[in-house]
Amino acid sequence: MKTTYTLFFFLLIFGVSAIQAQSGSIQGRISDENGIYVPGANVIIPSLSKGTISDFDGRFTLVNIPEGTYTLEISYLGYGRVEQDVQVIGGETVSLPITLTQDGFQLDEVQVSAYGLGGTAKALNAQRGNLNITNVVSTDQIGKFPDANIGDAVKRIPGITMQVDQGEARNIIVRGLSPQLNSVTLNGSRIPSAEGDNRNIQMDLIPSDMIQTIEVNKAVTPDMDADALGGSVNLVTRTAPQGFRLSATAGSGINFITDKRIWNGSLLYGDRTRNGKLGWMFAATVNDNDFGSDNVEAEWTDEFEYYTGTDDPEGEPILEELDVDPYTNVTEQRTYLVQRVRRSFSANLDYTIDPGNSLYLKTMYNWRDDRENRFVLEQGILDGEDIEQGDFTISNGVPVRFPVESKRETKGGIDSNRNDNTRLEDQRMQNYTLGGDHLFGNVKFNWMGSYAKASEERLDERYAVYASEYIVNNDNSDPEFPLMTAVNPGDANNLAAFEFDEITNETQYTEEEDFNFFANLELPLDLFGKEGGSLKMGARGRFKNKFRDNNFFEFDLEDQFPTLAEVPTKDYTDPDFQAGSEYQAGLYPSEVWLGQLALNDADGEPVPDEFLRDNFDVSENVWAGYVMTNQKVSDKLSVLLGVRVENTNITATGNQILDEENIVGEITEESSYTNVLPGVHFKYDVSPNTILRAAWTNTLARPNYVDLTPSLDVVTGDEEVFIGNPELDPTTSMNFDLMAEHYFESVGLLSGGLFYKRIDDFVYTFISQAGPDEFGPDTEGFDVFQPLNGEDASVFGVEMAFQRQLDFLPGFLGNFSLYMNYTYLTSNANGIRNEDGDERDDLDLPNTAPNMFNGSLGYADSRLTARLSLNFSDAYIDEIGGNDFEDRYYDEQLFLDFNATYAITENLRVYADLNNILNQPLRYYQGVSHRTQQVEFYSLRFTFGLKYDLFRKQ
């Protein structure tokens, strides 16, 4: 197939070039008065009824133009028309630079003074020009500065919600579909994932200051990768301007949860040679954030059993089971201290060989260090044979007093300049892309090759745990904040009673490499007698390898440090603990002491069930080809029709462990499958600013690598069995979309639409019970966890959006603007079985939040801009348990943020941001909304600084 495509491309290129002698081409680039490129401009030749739209780099191409002199009309939402005369010569390509100016309009005034055409105008024009259903956001439009990540910007888009980590938006959910079911690309090249057990892209790894535009394709076209069930998010990096640009930011701030500092800085420099052929853009940004979180976690159960005091004839203890109401049998109080240092570097070059040929190089390197200490007080009930009648009290059907094993745990790392006694998570993502755009007569040809790599390394991650036993009062009177407290308060901090439990040292390394290439060919084809039709075809190869290499060693230091009394300790009790002052942290092993311990792996005992199952090596090669045509059926109706074929080949290697003492070794399995994915898109222009869109598309999502690995792990101590499934099928979806949009000339949008997804073979984790000796002797009744394909699921949704400058209001009220969008989702999933093997009919598809809303009230005059922004997402099921009692839900979130800028001069601005004003925690609950499984608070964050921009167009 590879050879056929290549031969076909070149024959077609040379064949068409030979017959185009009497026609020529126009290739132009549209920029604003500052030299920044303008996407989404409408370019037409009225006398020929022929037109096109400028891309994200402001470039447009018109081919098959007869010799002669023509007038081009360029229109742009919110700005007057520009006319440009051009003479076309047969067999040649005319290069045409075009500049758009404000033309007397006063929109986004402060942004105009800094960026020329406002970010809102650029985003909406690009969105309006696309044939498929998209949302486009300019990072300038969002109003965020370099301390914000891309996830913070993306969560403002309709139909999108974000899962947070340590208070920052990380994992993206598009139209209710899990993060691993969506694709994230950088300049069209797939971003690899540093996550070990899934395909999630960590959106908080990339600073927003490095990205020019975010494009969310909710209905993909055949020339896009098909693995995008919810949608495809394309991040477009900044391009070299038409002239000189220098931008710098310096800022600081404070995290109110720790009262520790934030600082950030960025530098961007771009220019072009005098002849305009070579352009470059270099950018660097750094953000150093010293913060933390306050966390409470709990496990709920409705089972209770105790030792009757007698044994059966074989000497086994006889247990009695009581009927009880749900109660917490394990609680944890966690204090996190985190330093997150995010660095990003980018270098982009483009070179124009001649009007019809250009090359580009785009590079980005992101590097984030997370230094973390975690201090945990865990209290878990001693039940079964460890508890007897009289040791516990049950009141109104709820256990309210019982003995627990209490553990005090410190998490840290080695004492070095890099680790500084913390667990260091070193995450890196790099991408290098080389491509070209070429015009051979009437044939457009573009190609791209890229190398990308993501990695996560955790060296010498250490845990020190000391344990004691005592009686607690179990207070579930407020199940949102469950609390266990020692009946005798002195027991909780009696250091001599906390005995050595374990000290461990762990190393983790995950790496994913991607090699990509694609080639696309486009030539004129008018099937309905209307100018502007085209036939496009192409091929792509993507070659991916992902592996994990972890280890875990346990060290017996009981003789040296028998109790917590012999260990240096620190008290992390905080009267301002965000979950409530009743949560008393107490004393923990010092992270400095832990970091300075001389632990040599040769002196430790490896613990295979802690790491071998997680180790794998997977190669995934994808070959794809497509053909599609874009046709104007009438002056108002356009249609894009095509089909994509993707062939996937997988080789997966995993480990099989029948027991800690019985390691079978590595197992390798191969699999392959082919997907045929047709699609059609309709666009109907009711008027220049009112558009109807419809689409039928087919997409897929490949299973997570860890699920595909042929692994087996029997964990006897926990009575659990974990099995991989190399026979998993990809999840597929048939998608239907309908959208209506009206664009206001004053730069705004009113839109509404419906979508429906029919999903087959989604993957979930099935929990069952092991049969007699199924996984070896004495394994009957073990919990067995295995990923399986469910049957089918469906998602139906409604999206509505409104944004507009309120310029029709009198006086200063005309400086206000509104930005609002709302998404409603409903879903169902079939084929999911509970632990007894019975099918469940009470489940939504995981990660489908029923309601999502974004709202923003902005103000802008000649110097001041301010914005109050609200983001809401409803609760949804996050993880399916063995039954409805065990299901885990991600609770609703409501974020309120404020940011403002003031223009001191045309080039210098001061800014201030206040984030998480409502102190919204991350919260999971078990089964029903009032049973907290985890609640984590981050408090407010305040940042401020200066931003300088200087433009000089050639």
Side-chain angles (χ1 to χ4, degrees):
M1 187 171 77
K2 296 174 283 186
T3 305
T4 302
Y5 268 114
T6 303
L7 181 60
F8 179 69
F9 283 160
F10 282 100
L11 287 176
L12 196 53
I13 288 171
F14 290 117
V16 175
S17 299
I19 61 174
Q20 52 78 48
Q22 297 305 311
S23 63
S25 304
I26 303 172
Q27 189 160 79
R29 225 164 185 186
I30 304 174
S31 62
D32 62 21
E33 64 271 26
N34 291 322
I36 305 300
Y37 297 122
V38 173
N42 192 21
V43 183
I44 65 170
I45 303 176
S47 60
L48 299 178
S49 298
K50 195 179 188 73
T52 189
I53 304 292
S54 62
D55 63 17
F56 282 110
D57 291 330
R59 182 183 286 110
F60 68 90
T61 304
L62 292 166
V63 300
N64 201 23
I65 309 297
E67 285 188 326
T69 301
Y70 302 94
T71 298
L72 267 65
E73 287 188 0
I74 299 93
S75 59
Y76 197 73
L77 190 66
Y79 296 82
R81 290 181 180 271
V82 173
E83 293 186 352
Q84 180 90 29
D85 292 332
V86 59
Q87 183 176 5
V88 177
I89 300 173
E92 295 185 10
T93 299
V94 180
S95 179
L96 195 65
I98 297 173
T99 300
L100 294 184
T101 59
Q102 297 176 42
D103 197 26
F105 285 81
Q106 295 297 317
L107 303 170
D108 292 332
E109 291 187 1
V110 172
Q111 292 188 25
V112 166
S113 68
Y115 293 103
L117 303 179
T120 302
K122 290 178 180 177
L124 290 182
N125 274 281
Q127 181 173 318
R128 182 181 66 163
N130 289 337
L131 194 145
N132 62 320
I133 296 172
T134 60
N135 292 108
V136 181
V137 175
S138 162
T139 52
D140 299 335
Q141 171 193 357
I142 292 297
K144 296 291 182 182
F145 288 88
D147 57 319
N149 65 67
I150 283 300
D152 291 321
V154 170
K155 73 181 182 183
R156 312 290 179 185
I157 296 174
I160 289 180
T161 186
M162 299 295 298
Q163 294 176 334
V164 301
D165 176 76
Q166 291 295 344
E168 291 193 332
R170 169 167 289 187
N171 296 322
I172 182 172
I173 296 173
V174 182
R175 288 180 162 178
L177 295 183
S178 301
Q180 63 265 26
L181 303 182
N182 307 299
S183 72
V184 182
T185 59
L186 185 68
N187 301 311
S189 178
R190 187 68 181 262
I191 296 176
S193 170
E195 293 282 340
D197 57 357
N198 56 59
R199 295 176 182 260
N200 298 356
I201 304 302
Q202 296 192 333
M203 303 292 281
D204 58 351
L205 187 61
I206 304 174
S208 62
D209 199 49
M210 306 298 284
I211 301 300
Q212 175 176 292
T213 305
I214 305 165
E215 180 186 34
V216 180
N217 292 281
K218 294 178 178 176
V220 299
T221 53
D223 57 346
M224 299 178 185
D225 286 341
D227 52 348
L229 248 65
S232 174
V233 180
N234 186 34
L235 308 177
V236 182
T237 56
R238 300 183 183 275
T239 306
Q242 285 288 76
F244 174 80
R245 182 184 181 187
L246 176 66
S247 178
T249 301
S252 187
I254 186 171
N255 289 291
F256 285 92
I257 194 167
T258 57
D259 292 332
K260 291 187 177 180
R261 55 97 186 109
I262 304 167
W263 69 267
N264 63 269
S266 68
L267 180 67
L268 183 149
Y269 166 64
D271 205 349
R272 189 164 290 276
T273 57
R274 289 185 177 275
N275 62 9
K277 285 184 173 292
L278 177 63
W280 60 87
M281 174 70 78
F282 302 113
T285 182
V286 60
N287 176 259
D288 189 343
N289 193 359
D290 207 335
F291 61 110
S293 59
D294 294 342
N295 171 292
V296 173
E297 299 188 16
E299 295 179 17
W300 293 80
T301 184
D302 54 4
E303 299 176 350
F304 189 93
E305 60 181 14
Y306 66 95
Y307 178 42
T308 61
T310 60
D311 300 337
D312 64 17
E314 296 180 0
E316 294 295 324
I318 298 175
L319 304 179
E320 180 78 18
E321 187 170 323
L322 299 178
D323 292 329
V324 295
D325 292 332
Y327 70 100
T328 52
N329 62 339
V330 179
T331 62
E332 293 185 6
Q333 178 185 342
R334 300 181 173 205
T335 299
Y336 289 87
L337 299 176
V338 182
Q339 182 194 24
R340 178 166 291 173
V341 182
R342 183 188 294 112
R343 319 163 189 86
S344 188
F345 310 94
S346 177
N348 297 333
L349 304 173
D350 64 81
Y351 182 74
T352 302
I353 301 171
D354 56 46
N357 296 278
S358 61
L359 302 173
Y360 61 85
L361 174 67
K362 296 186 176 183
T363 68
M364 177 175 282
Y365 190 95
N366 297 296
W367 178 14
R368 186 184 69 198
D369 283 343
D370 261 19
R371 294 179 176 87
E372 178 186 292
N373 287 121
R374 186 185 72 188
F375 306 93
V376 181
L377 171 61
E378 176 188 310
Q379 298 174 111
I381 185 174
L382 291 167
D383 58 359
E385 59 184 285
D386 295 320
I387 184 172
E388 298 186 29
Q389 185 76 40
D391 292 340
F392 59 88
T393 301
I394 295 178
S395 176
N396 296 321
V398 177
V400 296
R401 185 186 66 87
F402 44 69
V404 297
E405 181 183 41
S406 177
K407 295 182 178 181
R408 292 193 170 275
E409 174 191 276
T410 294
K411 175 183 181 179
I414 62 175
D415 180 19
S416 68
N417 291 333
R418 287 276 290 140
N419 290 67
D420 194 21
N421 300 308
T422 66
R423 184 290 318 265
L424 175 62
E425 180 184 274
D426 182 334
Q427 281 205 342
R428 308 191 188 199
M429 190 277 287
Q430 49 192 305
N431 184 288
Y432 309 95
T433 301
L434 178 66
D437 294 286
H438 308 278
L439 193 59
F440 301 100
N442 296 328
V443 178
K444 300 178 187 178
F445 177 71
N446 66 76
W447 59 274
M448 185 205 73
S450 70
Y451 168 76
K453 177 181 174 181
S455 65
E456 178 183 283
E457 185 175 48
R458 301 183 186 185
L459 294 176
D460 298 299
E461 181 175 327
R462 294 183 170 184
Y463 293 85
V465 182
Y466 281 79
S468 178
E469 295 181 7
Y470 50 79
I471 305 293
V472 300
N473 291 317
N474 184 39
D475 184 1
N476 295 159
S477 58
D478 182 0
E480 291 192 18
F481 293 95
L483 180 66
M484 289 184 186
T485 54
V487 171
N488 179 3
D491 291 342
N493 281 299
N494 182 357
L495 300 187
F498 277 84
E499 298 177 344
F500 179 89
D501 185 75
E502 65 176 11
I503 289 179
T504 62
N505 192 88
E506 180 178 16
T507 293
Q508 299 183 20
Y509 183 75
T510 304
E511 179 182 284
E512 181 173 320
E513 285 187 302
D514 268 13
F515 291 91
N516 283 269
F517 82 86
F518 69 67
N520 300 303
L521 190 69
E522 185 177 2
L523 63 153
L525 178 65
D526 300 318
L527 297 178
F528 297 93
K530 296 289 184 180
E531 291 283 348
S534 66
L535 176 67
K536 187 176 181 182
M537 62 194 70
R540 175 188 280 270
R542 190 173 76 208
F543 314 104
K544 182 187 295 288
N545 179 259
K546 185 159 191 170
F547 73 90
R548 298 191 77 186
D549 184 15
N550 299 350
N551 63 42
F552 188 98
F553 290 88
E554 199 170 59
F555 296 84
D556 185 2
L557 303 181
E558 185 175 4
D559 292 340
Q560 296 170 253
F561 308 102
T563 71
L564 199 52
E566 280 78 38
V567 172
T569 57
K570 283 188 178 181
D571 190 345
Y572 281 95
T573 300
D574 182 359
D576 297 321
F577 192 77
Q578 297 287 301
S581 58
E582 64 271 21
Y583 292 96
Q584 299 293 306
L587 296 161
Y588 297 92
S590 163
E591 69 274 18
V592 176
W593 164 79
L594 178 62
Q596 292 176 346
L597 289 175
L599 303 181
N600 189 321
D601 288 349
D603 300 326
E605 184 73 23
V607 187
D609 61 15
E610 290 285 350
F611 68 90
L612 263 187
R613 181 178 74 247
D614 296 328
N615 290 349
F616 60 82
D617 191 338
V618 178
S619 295
E620 181 181 85
N621 297 330
V622 178
W623 286 100
Y626 75 91
V627 60
M628 71 182 197
T629 182
N630 187 352
Q631 297 293 323
K632 285 184 69 68
V633 180
S634 69
D635 290 338
K636 293 181 177 293
L637 178 62
S638 299
V639 61
L640 188 153
L641 173 69
V643 63
R644 185 178 185 90
V645 179
E646 293 200 354
N647 175 258
T648 306
N649 295 274
I650 298 171
T651 302
T653 299
N655 294 292
Q656 297 206 357
I657 316 161
L658 294 181
D659 198 310
E660 207 172 303
E661 306 299 328
N662 186 8
I663 301 172
V664 176
E666 290 187 347
I667 304 292
T668 299
E669 298 280 353
E670 296 183 359
S671 61
S672 64
Y673 49 85
T674 299
N675 297 92
V676 180
L677 306 156
V680 60
H681 301 255
F682 297 96
K683 179 183 178 185
Y684 186 80
D685 297 318
V686 180
S687 71
N689 290 336
T690 302
I691 299 169
L692 300 178
R693 305 178 195 268
W696 169 64
T697 57
N698 290 271
T699 50
L700 64 90
R702 297 177 176 89
N704 289 323
Y705 306 108
V706 68
D707 293 338
L708 289 167
T709 303
S711 61
L712 170 64
D713 188 6
V714 180
V715 186
T716 304
D718 296 333
E719 297 187 350
E720 294 177 333
V721 180
F722 298 88
I723 310 174
N725 188 354
E727 301 300 320
L728 282 173
D729 292 322
T731 303
T732 59
S733 178
M734 181 181 293
N735 317 294
F736 299 90
D737 292 85
L738 180 65
M739 181 70 67
E741 302 169 338
H742 177 74
Y743 294 85
F744 300 108
E745 282 294 341
S746 55
V747 185
L749 169 69
L750 174 65
S751 68
L754 310 173
F755 62 88
Y756 174 80
K757 295 178 178 291
R758 170 71 181 215
I759 300 169
D760 291 310
D761 295 323
F762 62 88
V763 178
Y764 74 104
T765 300
F766 177 50
I767 305 174
S768 60
Q769 302 295 312
D773 299 326
E774 183 178 358
F775 300 100
D778 302 322
T779 59
E780 183 177 2
F782 282 21
D783 288 332
V784 181
F785 300 82
Q786 184 178 31
L788 294 179
N789 286 112
E791 293 178 5
D792 59 76
S794 63
V795 179
F796 173 77
V798 179
E799 289 181 348
M800 294 179 287
F802 173 81
Q803 65 183 101
R804 176 162 185 181
Q805 184 86 21
L806 304 182
D807 53 349
F808 53 85
L809 295 178
F812 80 98
L813 295 176
N815 294 329
F816 283 93
S817 63
L818 280 177
Y819 177 91
M820 297 184 296
N821 59 67
Y822 168 74
T823 303
Y824 167 78
L825 291 176
T826 181
S827 68
N828 72 283
N830 300 316
I832 296 176
R833 292 173 288 151
N834 63 19
E835 58 193 356
D836 298 322
D838 300 324
E839 185 171 345
R840 297 183 60 180
D841 58 4
D842 58 343
L843 286 173
D844 293 333
L845 188 69
N847 296 311
T848 49
N851 298 282
M852 290 170 278
F853 174 78
N854 283 297
S856 175
L857 177 64
Y859 176 85
D861 60 25
S862 59
R863 289 187 178 273
L864 174 68
T865 64
R867 187 190 304 266
L868 185 67
S869 302
L870 181 144
N871 176 268
F872 170 80
S873 61
D874 217 339
Y876 56 84
I877 187 169
D878 175 71
E879 188 174 286
I880 298 172
N883 52 52
D884 57 354
F885 179 79
E886 297 175 356
D887 292 339
R888 185 176 77 169
Y889 288 79
Y890 195 102
D891 201 6
E892 64 183 34
Q893 299 180 117
L894 180 64
F895 293 99
L896 186 66
D897 305 312
F898 176 79
N899 59 283
T901 67
Y902 183 79
I904 300 172
T905 68
E906 182 180 1
N907 304 110
L908 182 65
R909 291 176 292 158
V910 60
Y911 71 88
D913 294 344
L914 187 61
N915 295 93
N916 197 21
I917 295 171
L918 301 178
N919 192 20
Q920 173 65 54
L922 164 69
R923 183 174 183 267
Y924 292 91
Y925 61 84
Q926 182 179 323
V928 294
S929 61
H930 60 267
R931 287 193 206 119
T932 292
Q933 196 173 54
Q934 176 182 346
V935 61
E936 186 168 279
F937 291 88
Y938 312 106
S939 193
L940 283 74
R941 183 174 71 247
F942 175 66
T943 55
F944 59 91
L946 292 171
K947 187 172 183 68
Y948 178 79
D949 277 293
L950 179 64
F951 299 86
R952 186 173 63 247
K953 187 174 181 180
Q954 287 186 354

